[in-house]
């Protein structure tokens, strides 16, 4: 450091956040750091010309008269507003946004010199309360919604403080910095004066500025159409980067009935082609969003859609469905109880919208909508006006009912149609033919993206809150005002997302595979015009104003609950899930329930799995059997099985390879009488129940609580008996005196006798054995991927082959299942029971890691 010249030392000091420690290392460095020129340019270099004076005033110990003179002469920005706030803060005459000591650390002679130098830059400096330039600017913003005759602060006053007194918020901590774009939305003529003072309009403010231009003023009933058009044209003239986006245009259209001035101004700008897009396609795309959202049921939305359809007619099929829904979901149609009067009212509304005549496809689209539950009026129209006979109507109803199976909230409609037209058998046959899944029906296992995006058509978890949040939190190209806050020159790090900070355990020998991100294609058509949503203009303005300007912790809350999220839901307020209706109307061992359980397992619909399995609301005798096929389907897709499946296995679920195992035992209705007579015979599939030769008292032994085991006293078996056990059954002992003669141990003697006759493998053991085979297959797939990657990867490449979620879940839960089985065997056979190996493959190194033998160290 001693060999460096003073200029290099100055550059080093400029890069330090606090050069105090460096200046104390030597007298030479201390002398350089005390140079007024170095101190002044330290603030200019670190904070820029706009914020240099603000940060320098907070370092009173290093500030002196010469430093102030150099800062002013070097171009540090000084405004009358900065001088007023500094004087108020130093003498405690008024309270501003600064909550730190700031200028109070400056000695009085130095601060007097600062006031003398800066006061000479302006002709007058009002120092009274509520007389500073910031108060004038804030009053202008507050009075913007008032009529012109009630405003005390004119835009000329704001122009004067901007032009003559160099007003601009001097710190990013000043709340007025975030409100400066609002003034430009109120009066775009202020933009040149603000840019002259160093303000630069960020294009991210674009939507916020135009929203404020078109905002409805509650206290001002005067028609503002001409003022809005003038402001839009003036802002576009002053800054060519500013344009009205499709997002704001759609929000204005949503207020076509409540904010008529803004809607008329939008249409006036569209006629001469002043917008970068045509308004008619925007209205069409906007109306198509309401085909399956709850907001279509509100009267406000219905009136807005009819107004938009009248101004911008469309031949789009989806728009036609939306307009049909506005008729069939209107209160005036639903409240009429008499069929002839309701039918006449419906025809009149359809004729006014030019939607007649209706086709069969129209009826199907309306009847399968999630929010249409009353089908009587539509069937009556098909009978009277379309001339359908009874057979054709039944075919229509059956087609609608089959399509409703895929709509998770249409349980009420299915109940009415199935009970009124006896469609239970037809629905079961259709489900088996159309929706039965196998491994061949799934995407290829090599296509990971297709497997991750695959969704079974039945039993979708449409009411899952995580799915709603994910859809609501999709990245928007038009961030809110809080997202658009300009960054400071200090380079303060942004708060990291909590989800990105969560650690993830990885194996030490895993190879990282980092695929290059796909670059977004360049838009050759021009700037991005924005996405279209269902929110109104007022709702988005309130969301922008409520969003935190600094803290990022609550931005997720406002993005979720700031706007009307309930109106965007795809299911009605009161509904019956289709999966629940199927559970109530079909037997647990029926093919219909087997199909629905498979789809619920693939979609991980926890709500339905609770009802289908004994771990939830269903009792053990009425639960739907789970099979090994469910785990194979999930393994093919690479998804983790729902925890309900593992819990069902722990509770003693019977083992099946697939649904054909128990469906093949189902007999036809003609054999019902024979089935009742042979109900007591043992089945082909072994169950974990009491042997048939034992007494009823012995069968009750297995039903005792696990916390209170039966009181059994017996001797310890010989080692030869425990070593020759081949499965988890009662050990066969060669010692005839193992059981005592007291009556209390008679049941144990019967168990030993039965074990000599037959050895039964429990259901839990079979599940563990076959799930272990699946785990071995997953381990082989993982190793094959690593080998293939090792051959293609370079020596210095950092890649990772991650295990699938199915692999990770199976590894963890198999350990739990083995522990549960071991605890059960210890409870039945004693604490010295041997641990068994369920694996049929010697390559399973997940749990068999023999300790490597140590080699003797030889010193040479």
């Amino acid at each position: 450091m001693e060999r460096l010249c003073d200029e290099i030392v100055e550059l080093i000091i400029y890069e330090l956040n606090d050069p105090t420690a460096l200046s104390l290392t030597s007298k030479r460095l201390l002398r350089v750091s005390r140079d007024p020129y170095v101190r002044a340019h330290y603030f200019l270099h670190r904070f820029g010309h706009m914020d240099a004076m603000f940060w320098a005033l907070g370092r009173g110990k290093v500030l002196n008269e010469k430093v102030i003179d150099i800062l002013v002469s070097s171009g540090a920005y000084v405004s009358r507003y900065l001088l007023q706030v500094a004087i108020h803060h130093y003498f405690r005459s008024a309270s501003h946004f600064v909550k730190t000591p700031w200028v109070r650390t400056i000695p009085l002679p130095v601060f007097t010199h600062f006031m003398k130098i800066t006061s000479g830059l302006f002709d007058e400096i009002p120092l009274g309360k509520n007389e500073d330039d910031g108060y004038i600017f804030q009053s202008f913003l507050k009075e913007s919604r008032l009529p012109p005759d009630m405003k005390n602060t004119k835009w000329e006053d704001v122009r004067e403080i901007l032009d003559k007194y160099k007003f601009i918020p001097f710190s990013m901590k000043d709340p007025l910095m975030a409100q400066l774009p609002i003034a430009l939305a109120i009066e775009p003529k202020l933009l040149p004066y603000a840019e002259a003072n160093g303000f630069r309009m960020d294009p991210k403010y674009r939507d916020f500025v135009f929203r404020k231009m078109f905002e409805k003023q509650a206290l001002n009933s005067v028609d503002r159409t001409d003022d809005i058009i003038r402001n839009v044209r003036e802002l576009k003239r002053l800054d060519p980067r500013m344009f009205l986006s499709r997002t704001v245009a759609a929000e204005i259209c949503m207020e076509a009935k409540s904010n008529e001035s803004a809607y008329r101004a939008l249409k006036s700008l569209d006629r001469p082609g002043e917008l970068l897009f045509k308004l008619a396609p925007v209205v069409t795309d906007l109306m198509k969003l309401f085909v399956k959202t709850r907001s279509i049921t509100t009267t406000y939305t219905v009136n807005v859609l009819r107004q938009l359809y009248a101004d911008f007619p469309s031949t789009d099929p989806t728009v036609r469905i939306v307009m049909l829904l506005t008729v069939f979901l209107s209160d005036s149609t639903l409240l009429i109880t008499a069929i002839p009067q309701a039918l006449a009212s419906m025809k009149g509304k359809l004729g006014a919208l030019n939607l007649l005549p209706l086709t069969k496809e129209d009826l199907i689209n309306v009847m399968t909508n999630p929010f249409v539950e009353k089908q009587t009026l539509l069937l009556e129209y098909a009978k009277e006006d379309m001339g359908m006979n009874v057979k054709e109507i039944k075919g229509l109803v059956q087609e609608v009912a089959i399509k409703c199976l895929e709509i998770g909230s249409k349980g009420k409609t299915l109940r009415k149609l199935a009970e009124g037209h006896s469609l239970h058998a037809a629905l079961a046959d259709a489900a088996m033919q159309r929706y039965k899944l196998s491994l061949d029906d799934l995407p290829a296992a090599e296509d990971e993206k297709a497997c991750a995006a695959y969704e079974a058509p039945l039993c979708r978890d449409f009411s899952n809150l995580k799915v709603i949040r994910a859809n609501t939190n999709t990245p928007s190209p038009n961030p809110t005002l809080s997202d658009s806050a300009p960054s400071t020159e200090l380079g303060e790090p942004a708060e990291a997302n909590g989800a990105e900070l969560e650690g993830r355990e990885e194996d030490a020998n895993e190879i990282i595979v980092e695929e290059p991100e796909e670059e977004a294609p360049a838009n050759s058509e021009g700037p991005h015009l924005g996405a279209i949503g269902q929110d109104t203009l007022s709702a988005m303005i309130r969301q922008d104003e409520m969003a935190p300007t600094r803290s990022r912790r609550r931005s997720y809350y406002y993005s979720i609950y700031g706007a009307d999220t309930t109106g965007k839901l795809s299911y009605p307020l009161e509904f019956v899930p289709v999966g629940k209706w199927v559970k109530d109307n079909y037997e647990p061992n029926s093919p219909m329930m087997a199909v629905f359980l498979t789809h619920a397992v693939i979609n991980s619909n926890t709500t339905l799995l609770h009802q289908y399995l004994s771990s939830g609301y269903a009792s053990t005798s009425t639960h739907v059997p789970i099979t090994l096929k469910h785990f194979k389907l999930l393994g093919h897709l690479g998804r983790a099985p729902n925890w309900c499946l593992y819990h069902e296995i722990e509770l003693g679920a019977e083992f099946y390879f697939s649904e054909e195992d128990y469906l093949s035992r189902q007999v036809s209705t003609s054999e019902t009488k024979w089935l009742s007579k042979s109900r007591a015979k043992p089945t082909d599939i072994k169950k974990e129940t009491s042997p048939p030769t034992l007494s009823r008292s012995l069968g009750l032994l297995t039903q005792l609580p696990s916390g209170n085991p039966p009181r059994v006293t017996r001797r310890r078996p010989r080692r030869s008996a425990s070593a020759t056990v081949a499965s988890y059954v009662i050990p066969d002992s060669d010692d005839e005196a193992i059981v005592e003669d007291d009556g209390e141990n008679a049941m144990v003697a019967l168990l030993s006798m039965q074990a000599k006759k037959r050895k039964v493998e429990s259901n839990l053991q079979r599940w563990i054995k076959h799930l272990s085979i699946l785990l071995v297959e997953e381990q082989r797939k993982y190793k094959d991927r690593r080998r293939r990657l090792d051959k293609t990867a370079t020596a210095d490449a950092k890649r990772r082959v991650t295990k699938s979620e199915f692999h990770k879940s199976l590894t963890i839960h198999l350990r739990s299942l083995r522990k549960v089985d071991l605890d059960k065997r210890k409870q039945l056979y004693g604490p010295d029971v041997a641990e068994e190996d369920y694996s049929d493959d010697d390559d399973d190194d997940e749990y068999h890691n023999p300790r490597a033998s140590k080699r003797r160290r030889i010193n040479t």
Side-chain angles (χ1 to χ4, degrees):
M1 293 293 292
E2 297 296 335
R3 296 180 180 180
L4 298 177
C5 61
D6 293 347
E7 289 78 6
I8 302 298
V9 175
E10 293 174 6
L11 296 177
I12 296 175
I13 293 176
Y14 295 161
E15 298 298 329
L16 298 178
N17 187 29
D18 187 3
T20 304
L22 179 64
S23 63
L24 298 178
T25 56
S26 66
K27 293 183 179 180
R28 176 171 175 264
L29 295 178
L30 181 62
R31 176 181 56 79
V32 173
S33 64
R34 287 181 176 179
D35 186 2
Y37 177 86
V38 175
R39 291 185 176 183
H41 281 267
Y42 170 81
F43 294 106
L44 292 172
H45 184 274
R46 292 282 297 176
F47 307 106
H49 289 74
M50 295 299 298
D51 296 339
M53 186 61 73
F54 169 75
W55 289 100
L57 293 176
R59 302 284 185 90
K61 295 182 179 180
V62 299
L63 199 65
N64 53 36
E65 293 83 352
K66 293 184 179 180
V67 174
I68 294 176
D69 295 339
I70 295 174
L71 283 173
V72 174
S73 61
S74 298
Y77 189 80
V78 179
S79 64
R80 190 176 71 169
Y81 176 55
L82 171 64
L83 179 59
Q84 290 171 336
V85 174
I87 294 175
H88 291 168
H89 186 77
Y90 192 87
F91 297 102
R92 294 178 173 85
S93 59
S95 177
H96 292 276
F97 67 94
V98 183
K99 306 300 179 184
T100 58
W102 194 38
V103 296
R104 296 171 188 165
T105 59
I106 304 176
L108 182 59
V110 178
F111 189 75
T112 303
H113 180 75
F114 167 75
M115 290 189 297
K116 179 181 178 181
I117 294 297
T118 54
S119 61
L121 302 176
F122 310 104
D123 52 358
E124 58 176 349
I125 304 177
L127 298 178
K129 187 176 181 181
N130 297 335
E131 292 182 358
D132 58 277
D133 295 344
Y135 181 81
I136 297 174
F137 181 77
Q138 196 170 8
S139 300
F140 174 73
L141 299 179
K142 291 181 179 180
E143 297 175 357
S144 61
R145 300 179 181 179
L146 299 177
D149 55 347
M150 297 180 60
K151 295 180 180 179
N152 296 324
T153 305
K154 308 299 181 182
W155 82 272
E156 290 82 0
D157 300 335
V158 180
R159 181 185 62 182
E160 182 182 4
I161 64 174
L162 286 171
D163 184 22
K164 187 176 180 180
Y165 300 109
K166 309 300 180 181
F167 169 79
I168 196 170
F170 53 84
S171 172
M172 292 303 304
K173 297 182 179 181
D174 193 347
L176 295 180
M177 179 65 75
Q179 298 180 3
L180 188 59
I182 302 179
L184 304 179
I186 298 172
E187 187 53 63
K189 296 179 181 179
L190 299 175
L191 180 59
Y193 304 101
E195 290 182 344
N197 295 338
F199 176 77
R200 293 295 178 267
M201 174 66 77
D202 194 332
K204 295 181 180 180
Y205 284 95
R206 182 187 303 120
D207 286 352
F208 177 75
V209 171
F210 280 102
R211 285 181 183 128
K212 296 297 292 185
M213 282 187 181
F214 287 86
E215 182 184 14
K216 180 182 179 181
Q217 298 180 359
L219 301 179
N220 188 3
S221 58
V222 182
D223 187 10
R224 299 178 53 251
T225 305
D226 297 336
D227 294 340
I228 294 174
I229 296 175
R230 177 181 55 82
N231 290 339
V232 171
R233 292 173 177 172
E234 185 70 17
L235 183 59
K236 290 176 61 177
R237 184 185 64 84
L238 295 174
D239 192 347
R241 300 175 302 168
M242 306 298 290
F243 60 89
L244 187 66
S245 65
R246 286 161 45 97
T247 304
V248 180
E251 295 167 0
I252 297 171
C253 292
M254 285 302 300
E255 292 189 352
K257 301 292 291 185
S258 59
N259 192 359
E260 298 179 358
S261 298
Y263 183 60
R264 285 195 296 266
L266 181 64
K267 292 192 295 183
S268 300
L269 292 172
D270 177 60
R271 292 190 191 100
E274 298 186 32
L275 303 178
L276 299 183
F277 51 85
K278 294 294 183 180
L279 190 57
V282 174
V283 173
T284 301
D285 295 341
L286 174 63
M287 297 178 67
K288 290 163 63 175
L289 298 177
F290 294 90
V291 67
K292 288 185 179 180
T293 55
R294 189 184 295 179
S295 56
I296 191 66
T297 60
T298 61
T299 305
Y300 176 81
T301 304
V302 169
N303 295 332
V304 170
L305 292 177
R306 291 180 179 178
Q307 179 67 42
L308 295 177
Y309 186 75
D311 295 339
F312 301 93
S314 176
T315 58
D316 189 275
T318 307
V319 175
R320 178 179 175 84
I321 298 174
V322 172
M323 298 313 301
L324 290 175
L325 293 176
T326 60
V327 176
F328 292 103
L329 294 176
S330 60
D331 296 337
S332 57
T333 304
L334 298 176
L335 294 177
I336 302 177
T337 56
I339 298 298
Q341 289 80 0
L343 194 60
S345 176
M346 181 193 71
K347 292 180 183 179
K349 294 179 180 179
L350 293 175
L353 296 174
N354 197 19
L355 298 176
L356 290 177
L358 299 182
T359 63
K360 181 180 177 181
E361 191 67 24
D362 293 335
L363 296 180
I364 294 176
N365 291 330
V366 173
M367 295 175 71
T368 55
N369 190 270
F371 304 96
V372 177
E373 298 178 354
K374 295 184 178 181
Q375 317 289 342
T376 307
L377 189 61
L378 293 169
L379 296 178
E380 189 67 23
Y381 179 86
K383 179 180 178 182
E384 297 293 338
D385 293 72
M386 300 181 63
M388 290 188 179
N389 53 30
V390 178
K391 184 178 180 181
E392 293 175 344
I393 290 180
K394 186 174 182 179
L396 173 65
V397 171
Q398 181 174 340
E399 184 178 357
V400 170
I402 293 175
K403 289 189 175 182
C404 287
L405 292 176
E406 298 186 13
I407 307 174
S409 60
K410 295 289 285 184
K412 291 184 179 180
T413 302
L414 275 176
R415 181 175 56 193
K416 294 178 182 178
L417 297 179
E419 293 177 356
H421 300 82
S422 302
L423 300 177
H424 294 85
L427 292 176
D429 295 339
M432 289 295 296
Q433 296 175 4
R434 300 187 181 186
Y435 304 112
K436 186 177 180 180
L437 294 178
S438 62
L439 292 176
D440 298 335
D441 301 326
L442 302 179
E446 293 78 11
D447 192 353
E448 297 182 359
K449 293 183 178 180
C451 291
Y454 178 78
E455 188 178 23
L458 304 180
C459 300
R460 295 188 179 97
D461 196 2
F462 59 90
S463 60
N464 190 358
L465 184 59
K466 293 182 180 180
V467 177
I468 298 173
R469 289 179 176 177
N471 295 335
T472 310
N473 263 338
T474 52
S476 173
N478 303 290
T480 58
L481 181 62
S482 61
D483 299 333
S484 307
S487 59
T488 62
E489 299 182 10
L490 296 178
E492 298 178 357
E495 296 185 11
N497 189 1
E500 298 176 356
L501 296 180
E502 294 180 357
R504 183 178 62 179
E505 296 182 359
E506 299 290 349
D507 294 343
N509 57 355
E510 285 186 348
I511 303 175
I512 301 175
V513 176
E514 297 179 355
E515 298 181 357
E517 298 181 357
E518 298 181 359
E519 296 182 358
N523 189 2
S524 59
E525 299 179 357
H528 185 74
L529 299 180
I532 297 177
Q534 300 182 15
D535 299 309
T536 62
L537 184 68
S538 301
M540 294 306 298
I541 292 175
R542 299 291 87 80
Q543 184 175 355
D544 286 339
E545 293 177 349
M546 292 173 59
T549 57
R550 301 177 197 167
S551 176
R552 303 291 303 166
R553 293 176 296 174
R554 296 184 298 276
S555 60
Y556 176 79
Y557 173 83
Y558 288 103
S559 62
I560 288 293
Y561 303 102
D564 183 19
T565 56
T566 58
K568 302 176 185 177
L569 300 179
S570 60
Y571 56 91
L573 182 61
E574 297 179 359
F575 65 94
V576 175
V578 173
K580 184 179 184 302
W581 175 83
V582 172
K583 179 66 172 60
D584 297 337
N585 290 271
Y586 292 89
E587 294 294 331
N589 294 339
S590 63
M592 186 74 161
M593 287 304 307
V595 171
F596 269 76
L597 178 62
T598 302
H599 287 244
V601 167
I602 292 178
N603 294 332
S604 189
N605 193 332
T606 307
T607 305
L608 290 181
L609 291 177
H610 267 287
Q611 300 176 4
Y612 289 170
L613 305 180
S614 58
S615 58
Y617 309 110
S619 60
T620 308
S621 59
T622 60
H623 76 285
V624 186
I626 62 174
T627 64
L628 187 65
K629 177 183 175 181
H630 297 148
F631 289 89
K632 291 183 178 180
L633 293 174
L634 294 174
H636 183 87
L637 296 174
R639 300 180 183 179
N642 193 284
W643 66 271
C644 296
L645 300 180
Y646 295 112
H647 190 55
E648 182 78 1
I649 295 175
E650 293 179 3
L651 294 179
E654 192 170 351
F655 178 82
Y656 298 104
F657 285 98
S658 64
E659 62 269 14
E660 282 80 6
D661 291 350
Y662 62 86
L663 292 179
S664 60
R665 296 166 48 196
Q666 302 297 326
V667 295
S668 60
T669 55
S670 60
E671 300 174 350
T672 305
K673 184 177 180 180
W674 175 85
L675 180 62
S676 61
K677 293 181 180 180
S678 60
R679 189 171 297 174
K681 297 181 180 181
T683 59
D684 297 336
I685 300 177
K686 300 176 182 180
K687 298 182 180 180
E688 190 179 7
T689 55
S690 300
T693 58
L694 300 181
S695 61
R696 179 175 178 83
S697 61
L698 181 58
L700 295 176
L701 177 63
T702 59
Q703 301 179 5
L704 292 176
S706 59
N708 300 321
R711 181 181 178 184
V712 179
T713 58
R714 61 188 177 91
R715 298 177 183 176
R716 178 177 179 179
R718 297 175 61 180
R719 292 186 177 181
S720 60
S722 61
T724 58
V725 176
S727 62
Y728 303 136
V729 296
I730 301 174
D732 187 10
S733 175
D734 57 353
D735 191 356
E736 297 294 336
I738 192 173
V739 181
E740 298 182 359
D741 296 334
D742 53 332
E744 192 178 45
N745 295 321
M747 292 182 291
V748 178
L750 291 176
L751 286 172
S752 301
M753 295 172 59
Q754 184 64 25
K756 294 179 182 180
K757 298 179 181 180
R758 185 181 64 181
K759 295 182 179 180
V760 181
E761 187 179 27
S762 67
N763 287 314
L764 181 57
Q765 296 166 11
R766 297 187 67 187
W767 277 112
I768 295 175
K769 181 177 69 175
H770 291 282
L771 291 180
S772 300
I773 297 175
L774 291 182
L775 180 59
V776 172
E777 295 178 357
E778 290 295 322
Q779 292 172 351
R780 288 175 179 173
K781 295 178 183 177
Y782 172 72
K783 293 178 180 178
D784 291 341
R785 291 181 59 194
R786 290 185 56 188
R787 293 192 191 100
R788 290 195 301 266
L789 192 63
D790 289 339
K791 295 179 180 178
T792 58
T794 58
D796 56 346
K798 184 180 180 182
R799 299 175 179 269
R800 174 179 298 157
V801 179
T802 58
K803 296 180 180 179
S804 64
E805 296 298 327
F806 179 79
H807 190 175
K808 298 176 183 178
S809 175
L810 203 59
T811 303
I812 296 174
H813 287 88
L814 262 179
R815 298 170 184 170
S816 302
L817 293 177
R818 285 169 174 152
K819 185 178 183 301
V820 170
D821 180 67
L822 181 62
D823 294 341
K824 287 184 178 181
R825 291 187 295 108
K826 285 183 178 181
Q827 179 181 347
L828 290 176
Y829 312 133
D832 55 347
V833 65
E835 297 186 9
E836 295 294 335
D837 179 21
Y838 298 90
S839 176
D840 295 339
D841 198 307
D842 296 337
D843 295 336
D844 185 6
D845 58 350
E846 184 73 19
Y847 300 97
H848 301 281
N849 292 323
R851 194 171 183 179
S853 59
K854 296 183 178 180
R855 302 179 62 181
R856 173 178 258 176
R857 180 179 298 177
I858 301 175
N859 297 326
T860 58

